[in-house]
Amino acid sequence: MDIHQLLQEQKNYFSLQQTKNISFRKNCLIKLQKELIKKESDIIKALYNDFKKSEYEAILTETSIVLSELKMTIDKLNSWAKPERVLPSLLNFPSSAKIYKEPYGNVLIISPWNYPHQLAFAPLIGAIAAGNTVVLKPSELTPNTSAITKEIIESVFSKEHVAVVEGGVDVSEELLNQRWDYIFFTGSVPVGKIVAKAAAEHLTPVTLELGGKSPCIVDKTADIKLAAKRIVWGKFINGGQTCIAPDYLLIHKSIKNEFVNYFKDELTKAYGDNPENSADFPRIVNAKNFNRLALMLEKETFLTGGKTNKEDNYISPTLIDEPSLESEVMKGEIFGPILPLISFENEEKIEDILSKYDKPLAFYIFSTDKKIVKKMIKKHSFGGGTINDTTVHFVNHRLPFGGVGESGIGGYHGKKTFDTFSHSKGVVTRGNWLDLTIRYAPYTDKLKKLRALLKWT
Ligand code: NAD
């Protein structure tokens, strides 16, 4: 496919102004909704074929999230898109002021493989709702989901409006060489930097949804059994291949043994004695990631797990006992079913470890001590987080989702997705029935009056 030509066609299409019509956008989203509902079982099959994701997790973490974002966007589009009246400034008296939401124009969305359906469609819905044209590049590592994504998009949209361009790094690079009006990227920190550099060439605004090392702290006041259960769920869902999965555990020394016992119980309850035989436990997406993760297991002591099967890209849910901070597993984001446990005796040790890493995408604290929780939330900068659970802040569409520092730029979900893909244009309308002379030269004798007026603004 000639990418330059495709973008040119989208530019021409955007200039026709059709996507600025709210009813047109709504109808497109309703058509998309129908198609997504019709093809749900094909999407679930594709996800299974890509990395043995179970039907249950496919619905819970992919299709239901997309359909709920879509329904809310269709329901709320009129009110989100309406010009917002704000109070006028006294300095402009008489006047009125409004914020108009306008589409950026031609948007590029690059998505990752780990939630390949959800992370492609959730931003796409917002970009269309805001009136943009879109080129979506899904990940090449989940080819089945990429193919069904293309099929769905092609049956709903003309390619001048929304197109899927499949391919790997070379295609991504070619896309990034074009001049877009907005780029929305979800993926790793190193590729995020490549995207930011390419965008800077044309001063294109970006959203970067990246990753990082998200800590999970369990203090001695926590409900230990419940903490173990919720950590097992949040860490091992999707085979640990979740950007906001707890990356490493910091546990108070006095509760470590009790926690580990509960953790093992919860693992067995969830995936049986041998998780390799569980229909609910996915595989690592490819051999490259399997090898990367297997390397983290070398030289470590396991509290549970540590088993691998190269033929099937299987890594068992693993709890590593007290790794060194210089070890492979503590270097970068793990992004797999491996959880290092480090115990602490005092707050200084927590602070010392947290300070070694960049601002994380997520932050988890299990504690019933409200003072400690409040202090930690205030003190540390992170994308978002949950107290006494893991990952669930993601599902509340009233909360913005995104990183800070190395874990990302910008955010989305719910109305924030619509706002992300809209430029807010502030417009003042002046009244003609009065024209105060105070701002006009000559300024002689006006300073006193100006100071008095400024007190009121
Ligand atoms: P990735 O960065 O390797 O790939 C993401 C996308 O970028 C893919 O479409 C890929 O084709 C493209 N790409 C890869 N290399 C490129 C290059 N050199 N130039 C241009 N494009 C390139 O990420 P991934 O492995 O698909 O996903 C895992 C990462 O994504 C993890 O770090 C995870 O934390 C992060 N992630 C973040 C979120 C979030 O919402 N913040 C969600 C999911 C995943």
Side-chain angles (χ1 to χ4, degrees):
M1 179 182 293
D2 184 336
I3 285 169
H4 184 74
Q5 169 76 21
L6 172 66
L7 179 56
Q8 206 46 54
E9 286 171 24
Q10 291 207 341
K11 280 183 196 291
N12 294 341
Y13 183 76
F14 184 74
S15 69
L16 299 176
Q17 306 267 322
Q18 193 176 13
T19 65
K20 293 203 172 160
N21 182 304
I22 307 296
S23 310
F24 170 78
R25 297 183 203 171
K26 222 180 191 174
N27 286 336
C28 288
L29 293 173
I30 291 168
K31 264 170 87 181
L32 178 62
Q33 186 183 40
K34 281 191 186 138
E35 197 61 19
L36 284 170
I37 292 169
K38 195 170 107 193
K39 295 268 167 67
E40 192 180 34
S41 59
D42 295 336
I43 298 164
I44 293 168
K45 224 180 280 165
L47 288 162
Y48 182 82
N49 290 336
D50 279 330
F51 58 114
K52 292 201 177 158
K53 186 159 180 154
S54 68
E55 180 180 11
Y56 192 89
E57 282 196 10
I59 293 170
L60 180 72
T61 68
E62 306 255 13
T63 58
S64 72
I65 292 181
V66 169
L67 289 174
S68 130
E69 282 278 330
L70 192 46
K71 183 178 180 312
M72 179 184 43
T73 307
I74 293 166
D75 291 349
K76 304 268 184 187
L77 186 55
N78 283 341
S79 70
W80 292 350
K82 215 161 93 184
E84 182 192 343
R85 187 181 276 276
V86 294
L87 280 178
S89 162
L90 197 58
L91 289 173
N92 291 334
F93 186 79
S95 74
S96 63
K98 276 184 185 169
I99 302 169
Y100 290 83
K101 295 289 167 74
E102 70 173 18
Y104 278 101
N106 308 108
V107 167
L108 171 65
I109 297 174
I110 300 179
S111 56
W113 59 265
N114 64 324
Y115 288 87
H117 175 68
Q118 188 221 128
L119 297 176
F121 277 96
L124 181 94
I125 291 163
I128 296 164
N132 301 282
T133 71
V134 185
V135 168
L136 165 69
K137 197 208 80 66
S139 172
E140 70 280 19
L141 301 193
T142 37
N144 296 290
T145 314
S146 175
I148 187 73
T149 301
K150 190 172 168 67
E151 190 183 312
I152 290 167
I153 294 299
E154 285 180 353
S155 62
V156 177
F157 300 96
S158 68
K159 74 175 190 324
E160 295 78 22
H161 185 192
V162 184
V164 173
V165 174
E166 292 183 284
V169 176
D170 50 334
V171 171
S172 211
E173 283 172 349
E174 206 185 331
L175 286 164
L176 289 170
N177 280 336
Q178 313 300 316
R179 185 185 196 121
W180 301 93
D181 296 307
Y182 201 95
I183 300 176
F184 188 103
F185 171 80
T186 309
S188 61
V189 174
V191 181
K193 289 179 183 172
I194 294 173
V195 172
K197 271 189 197 151
E201 189 61 36
H202 301 292
L203 290 179
T204 301
V206 289
T207 294
L208 301 176
E209 294 284 339
L210 310 177
K213 251 183 136 41
S214 302
C216 179
I217 300 159
V218 186
D219 84 0
K220 59 184 173 195
T221 72
D223 181 331
I224 306 168
K225 189 171 190 290
L226 194 57
K229 186 177 179 183
R230 290 176 173 175
I231 292 168
V232 163
W233 180 79
K235 177 67 191 182
F236 299 115
I237 195 165
N238 215 42
Q241 302 162 113
T242 302
C243 55
I244 48 169
D247 188 275
Y248 61 99
L249 272 181
L250 297 173
I251 301 251
H252 195 276
K253 209 169 193 151
S254 63
I255 57 162
K256 177 178 164 183
N257 291 341
E258 198 183 347
F259 175 85
V260 171
N261 289 335
Y262 281 132
F263 190 92
K264 289 187 198 166
D265 285 351
E266 291 302 334
L267 257 185
T268 312
K269 268 192 222 161
Y271 303 114
D273 288 329
N274 181 5
E276 194 168 5
N277 298 331
S278 165
D280 295 330
F281 190 68
R283 296 302 180 253
I284 304 307
V285 73
N286 64 5
K288 191 175 162 206
N289 275 288
F290 173 89
N291 292 334
R292 182 181 63 78
L293 290 162
L295 195 69
M296 294 179 190
L297 298 177
E298 286 177 13
K299 299 188 208 146
E300 299 297 350
T301 310
F302 308 124
L303 291 160
T304 184
K307 301 204 170 51
T308 61
N309 177 359
K310 201 175 166 63
E311 260 74 79
D312 199 21
N313 288 335
Y314 167 76
I315 294 188
S316 67
T318 298
L319 192 60
I320 293 183
D321 195 19
E322 312 280 357
S324 125
L325 292 184
E326 277 70 49
S327 64
E328 201 57 38
V329 77
M330 289 307 291
K331 269 189 198 153
E333 182 185 6
I334 297 171
F335 214 59
I338 302 171
L339 187 59
L341 182 157
I342 298 172
S343 56
F344 65 87
E345 272 175 298
N346 51 43
E347 231 181 289
E348 287 74 53
K349 172 124 188 229
I350 300 182
E351 298 302 331
D352 184 41
I353 294 172
L354 294 182
S355 69
K356 296 203 179 334
Y357 301 100
D358 286 304
K359 294 174 182 178
L361 183 59
F363 196 93
Y364 304 109
I365 311 166
F366 286 81
S367 172
T368 53
D369 184 335
K370 288 188 178 145
K371 259 191 174 153
I372 294 258
V373 170
K374 217 170 157 183
K375 189 172 150 192
M376 297 287 272
I377 292 178
K378 239 180 150 176
K379 185 163 184 185
H380 296 284
S381 181
F382 51 88
T386 305
I387 312 304
N388 293 320
D389 206 341
T390 58
T391 75
V392 296
H393 57 289
F394 183 89
V395 298
N396 185 344
H397 58 239
R398 288 169 212 93
L399 293 174
F401 180 79
V404 58
E406 282 248 323
S407 57
I409 297 175
Y412 72 132
H413 283 188
K415 181 173 184 293
K416 181 121 179 81
T417 314
F418 177 86
D419 289 341
T420 287
F421 288 106
S422 305
H423 165 61
S424 290
K425 194 160 68 176
V427 176
V428 169
T429 304
R430 290 295 316 273
N432 289 343
W433 57 272
L434 181 70
D435 196 29
L436 296 174
T437 56
I438 188 156
R439 72 176 152 133
Y440 297 111
Y443 303 128
T444 339
D445 299 334
K446 287 183 178 166
L447 193 55
K448 233 171 142 184
K449 277 188 203 153
L450 179 67
R451 284 199 190 283
L453 183 64
L454 289 175
K455 272 191 189 157
W456 292 96
T457 58

